[in-house]
Amino acid sequence: MKIDLIDTTASKINKALVHGRRAIGTPAVGMVLTMVIVTDEENAYDSLKAAEEASREHPSRTLVVIKRHARTLRDRTHSRLDAEVRVGSEAGTGETVVLRTYGEVSGHADSVVLPLLLPDAPVVVWWPVDAPENPAQDPLGALAQRRITDLYAVERPLEVLETRVRSYAPGDTDLAWTRLTPWRSMLAAALDQARVKVTSAAVEAEAENPSAELLARWLEARLGVEVDRVVTAGPVVTAVRLGTENGEIVIDRPEGPLATLTLPGQPSRTLALKVRATSELIAEELRRLDADEMYAVALRGEAIKETV
Protein backbone atom coordinates (compact mmCIF):
# COMPACT_ATOMS: atom_id res chain seq x y z
CA MET A 1 0.00 0.00 0.00
CA LYS A 2 1.32 3.44 -0.97
CA ILE A 3 0.11 6.83 0.24
CA ASP A 4 1.41 9.99 -1.44
CA LEU A 5 1.43 13.23 0.54
CA ILE A 6 2.26 16.59 -1.08
CA ASP A 7 3.33 19.64 0.95
CA THR A 8 2.77 17.75 4.16
CA THR A 9 3.94 17.64 7.79
CA ALA A 10 5.37 15.00 10.13
CA SER A 11 2.03 14.83 11.94
CA LYS A 12 0.17 13.98 8.73
CA ILE A 13 2.80 11.37 7.86
CA ASN A 14 2.33 9.66 11.23
CA LYS A 15 -1.44 9.61 10.65
CA ALA A 16 -0.86 8.06 7.22
CA LEU A 17 1.31 5.35 8.77
CA VAL A 18 -1.41 4.50 11.29
CA HIS A 19 -4.05 4.50 8.54
CA GLY A 20 -1.92 2.25 6.34
CA ARG A 21 -1.26 -0.27 9.14
CA ARG A 22 -4.95 -0.43 10.00
CA ALA A 23 -5.90 -0.88 6.36
CA ILE A 24 -3.70 -3.96 5.98
CA GLY A 25 -3.95 -5.19 9.57
CA THR A 26 -0.23 -4.93 10.36
CA PRO A 27 0.94 -3.73 13.82
CA ALA A 28 4.12 -1.74 14.38
CA VAL A 29 5.23 -3.66 17.47
CA GLY A 30 7.37 -6.09 15.47
CA MET A 31 9.80 -3.42 14.29
CA VAL A 32 13.09 -3.33 16.17
CA LEU A 33 14.72 -0.09 14.98
CA THR A 34 14.48 3.00 12.80
CA MET A 35 16.77 3.15 9.78
CA VAL A 36 17.36 6.64 8.40
CA ILE A 37 18.89 6.77 4.91
CA VAL A 38 20.24 10.16 3.81
CA THR A 39 20.86 10.14 0.09
CA ASP A 40 20.18 11.83 -3.22
CA GLU A 41 17.61 10.99 -5.88
CA GLU A 42 20.13 9.10 -8.00
CA ASN A 43 21.09 6.62 -5.28
CA ALA A 44 17.75 6.42 -3.45
CA TYR A 45 16.39 3.37 -5.29
CA ASP A 46 19.43 1.13 -4.73
CA SER A 47 19.80 2.25 -1.11
CA LEU A 48 16.16 1.62 -0.32
CA LYS A 49 16.26 -1.77 -2.02
CA ALA A 50 19.26 -2.80 0.11
CA ALA A 51 17.53 -1.60 3.28
CA GLU A 52 14.33 -3.48 2.43
CA GLU A 53 16.28 -6.70 1.87
CA ALA A 54 18.08 -6.19 5.19
CA SER A 55 14.71 -5.63 6.89
CA ARG A 56 13.87 -9.30 6.37
CA GLU A 57 16.36 -9.97 9.17
CA HIS A 58 15.76 -6.70 11.03
CA PRO A 59 12.16 -5.44 10.66
CA SER A 60 12.39 -1.67 10.82
CA ARG A 61 10.84 1.65 9.97
CA THR A 62 12.91 3.06 7.11
CA LEU A 63 13.00 6.82 6.60
CA VAL A 64 14.63 7.93 3.35
CA VAL A 65 15.65 11.60 3.39
CA ILE A 66 16.20 13.09 -0.08
CA LYS A 67 17.22 16.73 -0.14
CA ARG A 68 16.04 18.19 -3.42
CA HIS A 69 17.92 21.08 -5.01
CA ALA A 70 15.55 23.80 -6.20
CA ARG A 71 16.16 25.41 -9.59
CA THR A 72 14.70 28.85 -8.91
CA LEU A 73 15.15 31.42 -6.15
CA ARG A 74 11.48 31.14 -5.21
CA ASP A 75 11.74 27.37 -4.80
CA ARG A 76 14.93 27.72 -2.75
CA THR A 77 13.22 30.02 -0.24
CA HIS A 78 9.93 28.11 -0.16
CA SER A 79 9.95 25.18 2.28
CA ARG A 80 8.07 22.04 1.33
CA LEU A 81 7.97 18.45 2.42
CA ASP A 82 6.60 15.68 0.21
CA ALA A 83 6.28 12.12 1.44
CA GLU A 84 5.56 8.66 0.11
CA VAL A 85 4.35 6.23 2.77
CA ARG A 86 4.72 2.51 2.06
CA VAL A 87 3.37 -0.29 4.24
CA GLY A 88 2.81 -4.00 3.71
CA SER A 89 4.43 -5.75 0.77
CA GLU A 90 5.61 -2.42 -0.63
CA ALA A 91 7.99 -1.98 2.33
CA GLY A 92 9.63 -5.34 2.95
CA THR A 93 8.89 -6.57 6.47
CA GLY A 94 8.60 -3.10 8.00
CA GLU A 95 7.36 0.23 6.76
CA THR A 96 8.96 2.93 4.65
CA VAL A 97 8.61 6.69 4.35
CA VAL A 98 10.38 8.49 1.51
CA LEU A 99 10.81 12.16 2.47
CA ARG A 100 11.66 14.77 -0.15
CA THR A 101 12.60 18.13 1.31
CA TYR A 102 12.67 21.44 -0.54
CA GLY A 103 13.97 24.87 0.43
CA GLU A 104 14.80 25.76 4.01
CA VAL A 105 13.38 22.55 5.44
CA SER A 106 16.30 20.68 3.83
CA GLY A 107 18.60 22.32 6.35
CA HIS A 108 16.45 21.09 9.23
CA ALA A 109 15.75 17.51 8.19
CA ASP A 110 16.27 16.35 11.79
CA SER A 111 13.12 18.23 12.85
CA VAL A 112 11.16 16.26 10.25
CA VAL A 113 12.71 12.90 11.13
CA LEU A 114 12.50 13.20 14.93
CA PRO A 115 8.68 12.86 15.21
CA LEU A 116 8.79 9.82 12.90
CA LEU A 117 11.25 7.73 14.93
CA LEU A 118 9.91 4.60 16.58
CA PRO A 119 9.60 5.22 20.33
CA ASP A 120 12.14 3.46 22.57
CA ALA A 121 13.89 1.86 19.58
CA PRO A 122 17.49 2.28 18.35
CA VAL A 123 18.19 4.63 15.47
CA VAL A 124 20.69 3.92 12.68
CA VAL A 125 21.65 6.58 10.12
CA TRP A 126 23.23 5.50 6.83
CA TRP A 127 24.78 7.80 4.24
CA PRO A 128 25.26 5.74 1.03
CA VAL A 129 26.92 8.81 -0.57
CA ASP A 130 27.94 12.33 0.50
CA ALA A 131 28.43 11.58 4.18
CA PRO A 132 29.15 14.56 6.44
CA GLU A 133 32.73 15.24 7.49
CA ASN A 134 31.81 14.52 11.11
CA PRO A 135 28.86 12.08 11.22
CA ALA A 136 28.42 12.27 15.00
CA GLN A 137 28.09 16.07 14.87
CA ASP A 138 25.60 16.02 11.99
CA PRO A 139 22.03 16.87 13.16
CA LEU A 140 20.70 13.56 11.85
CA GLY A 141 23.74 11.63 13.02
CA ALA A 142 23.26 13.00 16.53
CA LEU A 143 19.91 11.15 16.70
CA ALA A 144 21.53 7.75 16.09
CA GLN A 145 23.19 5.02 18.10
CA ARG A 146 24.94 3.82 14.92
CA ARG A 147 26.18 5.90 12.00
CA ILE A 148 27.16 4.12 8.77
CA THR A 149 29.25 5.65 6.00
CA ASP A 150 30.94 4.15 2.93
CA LEU A 151 34.44 5.08 1.81
CA TYR A 152 33.81 3.30 -1.50
CA ALA A 153 31.43 6.14 -2.43
CA VAL A 154 34.03 8.94 -2.37
CA GLU A 155 36.56 10.01 -4.99
CA ARG A 156 39.63 10.07 -2.70
CA PRO A 157 38.91 7.37 -0.10
CA LEU A 158 42.30 7.43 1.62
CA GLU A 159 42.09 11.19 2.15
CA VAL A 160 38.59 10.87 3.59
CA LEU A 161 39.83 7.99 5.75
CA GLU A 162 42.15 10.41 7.53
CA THR A 163 39.17 12.69 8.14
CA ARG A 164 37.31 9.75 9.68
CA VAL A 165 40.26 9.20 12.03
CA ARG A 166 39.99 12.74 13.36
CA SER A 167 36.19 12.77 13.67
CA TYR A 168 35.61 9.25 14.99
CA ALA A 169 33.07 8.85 17.78
CA PRO A 170 31.70 5.61 19.33
CA GLY A 171 28.88 4.41 17.09
CA ASP A 172 30.63 5.31 13.81
CA THR A 173 31.38 2.58 11.31
CA ASP A 174 31.99 2.22 7.59
CA LEU A 175 31.00 -0.39 5.02
CA ALA A 176 34.62 -0.52 3.85
CA TRP A 177 35.32 -2.12 7.24
CA THR A 178 32.23 -4.37 7.13
CA ARG A 179 33.41 -5.81 3.82
CA LEU A 180 36.46 -7.20 5.66
CA THR A 181 34.57 -9.45 8.09
CA PRO A 182 35.18 -12.68 6.09
CA TRP A 183 38.86 -11.79 5.65
CA ARG A 184 39.32 -11.10 9.36
CA SER A 185 37.51 -14.31 10.33
CA MET A 186 39.67 -16.42 8.02
CA LEU A 187 42.89 -14.77 9.17
CA ALA A 188 41.97 -15.34 12.82
CA ALA A 189 41.14 -18.99 12.12
CA ALA A 190 44.40 -19.47 10.18
CA LEU A 191 46.48 -18.05 13.03
CA ASP A 192 44.63 -20.21 15.54
CA GLN A 193 45.66 -23.28 13.52
CA ALA A 194 49.24 -22.23 12.85
CA ARG A 195 49.99 -20.86 16.36
CA VAL A 196 53.20 -19.16 15.28
CA LYS A 197 54.52 -15.65 15.68
CA VAL A 198 54.01 -13.42 12.66
CA THR A 199 57.18 -11.58 11.69
CA SER A 200 56.05 -9.79 8.52
CA ALA A 201 52.85 -9.06 6.63
CA ALA A 202 51.57 -7.73 3.33
CA VAL A 203 48.13 -6.76 2.02
CA GLU A 204 47.66 -6.88 -1.75
CA ALA A 205 44.85 -4.86 -3.34
CA GLU A 206 43.91 -2.43 -6.07
CA ALA A 207 45.22 1.11 -5.62
CA GLU A 208 43.43 3.47 -3.21
CA ASN A 209 41.29 0.68 -1.78
CA PRO A 210 39.99 1.77 1.66
CA SER A 211 39.27 -1.77 2.86
CA ALA A 212 42.86 -2.77 2.16
CA GLU A 213 44.16 0.19 4.16
CA LEU A 214 41.87 -0.60 7.10
CA LEU A 215 42.93 -4.26 6.97
CA ALA A 216 46.61 -3.28 6.96
CA ARG A 217 46.15 -0.96 9.94
CA TRP A 218 44.21 -3.63 11.84
CA LEU A 219 46.95 -6.20 11.25
CA GLU A 220 49.62 -3.73 12.35
CA ALA A 221 47.73 -3.00 15.56
CA ARG A 222 46.91 -6.62 16.36
CA LEU A 223 50.17 -8.30 15.31
CA GLY A 224 52.66 -5.57 16.11
CA VAL A 225 54.40 -5.78 12.72
CA GLU A 226 54.71 -3.37 9.82
CA VAL A 227 52.39 -4.31 6.95
CA ASP A 228 53.43 -3.72 3.34
CA ARG A 229 50.81 -2.34 0.97
CA VAL A 230 51.18 -4.03 -2.42
CA VAL A 231 49.23 -2.66 -5.40
CA THR A 232 47.66 -5.23 -7.73
CA ALA A 233 45.15 -5.12 -10.56
CA GLY A 234 42.37 -6.05 -8.12
CA PRO A 235 39.47 -6.36 -7.86
CA VAL A 236 39.41 -5.02 -4.26
CA VAL A 237 41.59 -6.97 -1.79
CA THR A 238 43.32 -9.84 -3.60
CA ALA A 239 45.65 -11.39 -1.00
CA VAL A 240 47.06 -11.25 2.52
CA ARG A 241 50.48 -12.75 3.28
CA LEU A 242 51.74 -13.30 6.82
CA GLY A 243 55.39 -14.31 7.21
CA THR A 244 56.38 -16.70 10.03
CA GLU A 245 59.52 -18.67 10.89
CA ASN A 246 57.83 -21.77 9.46
CA GLY A 247 56.76 -20.19 6.17
CA GLU A 248 54.00 -17.97 4.81
CA ILE A 249 50.31 -17.98 5.73
CA VAL A 250 48.51 -16.84 2.58
CA ILE A 251 44.90 -16.09 1.70
CA ASP A 252 44.79 -15.45 -2.03
CA ARG A 253 41.71 -14.34 -3.97
CA PRO A 254 42.79 -12.94 -7.34
CA GLU A 255 39.19 -12.87 -8.64
CA GLY A 256 35.83 -14.55 -8.27
CA PRO A 257 34.08 -15.86 -5.12
CA LEU A 258 36.74 -18.40 -4.09
CA ALA A 259 40.02 -17.94 -2.21
CA THR A 260 42.94 -20.26 -1.50
CA LEU A 261 44.27 -20.65 2.05
CA THR A 262 47.85 -21.86 2.43
CA LEU A 263 49.36 -22.77 5.80
CA PRO A 264 52.97 -23.92 6.36
CA GLY A 265 53.26 -27.69 6.14
CA GLN A 266 49.63 -28.18 5.09
CA PRO A 267 47.94 -28.68 1.73
CA SER A 268 46.16 -25.67 0.26
CA ARG A 269 42.42 -25.48 0.66
CA THR A 270 39.67 -23.56 -1.13
CA LEU A 271 37.44 -21.17 0.80
CA ALA A 272 34.31 -19.19 -0.11
CA LEU A 273 35.17 -15.47 -0.07
CA LYS A 274 32.71 -13.64 -2.28
CA VAL A 275 32.18 -9.90 -2.59
CA ARG A 276 28.98 -9.36 -0.63
CA ALA A 277 25.98 -7.28 -1.66
CA THR A 278 25.21 -4.01 0.12
CA SER A 279 22.10 -5.51 1.72
CA GLU A 280 24.24 -8.18 3.40
CA LEU A 281 26.62 -5.53 4.72
CA ILE A 282 23.75 -3.47 6.16
CA ALA A 283 22.18 -6.56 7.74
CA GLU A 284 25.49 -7.35 9.43
CA GLU A 285 25.81 -3.83 10.79
CA LEU A 286 22.32 -4.00 12.27
CA ARG A 287 23.09 -7.14 14.30
CA ARG A 288 25.10 -5.11 16.80
CA LEU A 289 24.38 -1.49 17.59
CA ASP A 290 27.03 -0.93 20.24
CA ALA A 291 30.34 0.78 19.50
CA ASP A 292 32.52 -1.06 16.97
CA GLU A 293 35.79 -1.08 18.90
CA MET A 294 37.70 -3.01 16.24
CA TYR A 295 36.76 -0.42 13.64
CA ALA A 296 38.25 2.24 15.93
CA VAL A 297 41.42 0.15 16.25
CA ALA A 298 41.71 -0.24 12.46
CA LEU A 299 40.86 3.39 11.81
CA ARG A 300 43.47 4.79 14.17
CA GLY A 301 46.01 1.97 13.95
CA GLU A 302 46.03 1.73 17.73
CA ALA A 303 48.01 -1.14 19.21
CA ILE A 304 46.19 -3.32 21.74
CA LYS A 305 47.43 -6.24 23.80
CA GLU A 306 45.33 -9.09 22.46
CA THR A 307 46.43 -11.17 19.49
CA VAL A 308 44.26 -11.93 16.49
Side-chain angles (χ1 to χ4, degrees):
M1 180 177 183
K2 290 185 180 180
I3 304 172
D4 290 321
L5 301 172
I6 304 299
D7 200 3
T8 188
T9 63
S11 176
K12 292 178 181 178
I13 295 170
N14 265 321
K15 290 178 181 178
L17 285 167
V18 173
H19 171 73
R21 288 198 300 268
R22 287 176 177 171
I24 64 173
T26 302
V29 293
M31 289 181 285
V32 298
L33 59 90
T34 303
M35 164 73 85
V36 181
I37 304 173
V38 188
T39 186
D40 54 20
E41 201 72 63
E42 180 182 355
N43 294 280
Y45 176 82
D46 290 339
S47 304
L48 183 53
K49 184 178 179 182
E52 287 178 351
E53 290 176 2
S55 75
R56 296 191 180 101
E57 183 177 338
H58 309 277
S60 58
R61 173 177 289 179
T62 302
L63 307 176
V64 184
V65 180
I66 302 173
K67 298 179 181 181
R68 298 297 299 267
H69 298 287
R71 297 180 179 178
T72 66
L73 177 61
R74 179 182 177 279
D75 290 340
R76 286 195 293 270
T77 56
H78 175 67
S79 294
R80 195 180 96 201
L81 171 66
D82 295 343
E84 180 183 317
V85 177
R86 305 179 187 179
V87 294
S89 60
E90 298 285 351
T93 59
E95 55 192 22
T96 298
V97 181
V98 180
L99 303 165
R100 290 181 171 86
T101 62
Y102 299 80
E104 293 182 2
V105 73
S106 293
H108 304 280
D110 54 312
S111 64
V112 176
V113 167
L114 186 59
L116 301 177
L117 302 179
L118 289 172
D120 303 320
V123 179
V124 177
V125 177
W126 171 32
W127 292 270
V129 293
D130 298 328
E133 193 169 294
N134 190 332
Q137 295 296 322
D138 180 82
L140 286 171
L143 301 174
Q145 285 75 39
R146 201 63 177 267
R147 296 167 293 275
I148 304 172
T149 55
D150 192 354
L151 287 166
Y152 276 67
V154 301
E155 289 185 5
R156 296 179 176 85
L158 298 189
E159 291 182 15
V160 178
L161 177 60
E162 297 308 317
T163 302
R164 296 276 186 268
V165 174
R166 295 189 294 271
S167 66
Y168 174 80
D172 291 354
T173 193
D174 196 281
L175 295 186
W177 174 247
T178 316
R179 291 180 178 93
L180 292 173
T181 299
W183 283 92
R184 293 190 292 122
S185 299
M186 290 182 184
L187 287 167
L191 288 173
D192 282 344
Q193 293 181 57
R195 294 196 174 278
V196 291
K197 180 177 176 59
V198 175
T199 56
S200 65
V203 173
E204 301 180 3
E206 61 189 1
E208 295 287 308
N209 184 274
S211 292
E213 179 60 25
L214 287 170
L215 182 57
R217 295 185 184 194
W218 177 71
L219 289 171
E220 286 176 338
R222 300 306 301 265
L223 299 175
V225 298
E226 184 176 346
V227 177
D228 294 329
R229 280 75 161 169
V230 180
V231 176
T232 65
V236 295
V237 180
T238 55
V240 176
R241 303 178 186 276
L242 305 179
T244 74
E245 60 183 10
N246 297 333
E248 271 196 334
I249 299 171
V250 181
I251 297 179
D252 186 25
R253 186 192 62 183
E255 60 182 354
L258 299 178
T260 301
L261 170 63
T262 304
L263 296 173
Q266 298 185 28
S268 299
R269 67 194 75 172
T270 301
L271 305 172
L273 194 57
K274 67 173 184 176
V275 176
R276 296 182 294 166
T278 303
S279 59
E280 296 178 67
L281 304 177
I282 293 296
E284 178 185 327
E285 284 299 331
L286 298 182
R287 288 176 199 139
R288 288 188 59 182
L289 300 180
D290 55 339
D292 191 340
E293 295 179 356
M294 286 300 100
Y295 171 62
V297 167
L299 198 62
R300 296 170 173 170
E302 295 173 335
I304 57 178
K305 293 182 180 179
E306 297 87 356
T307 57
V308 176

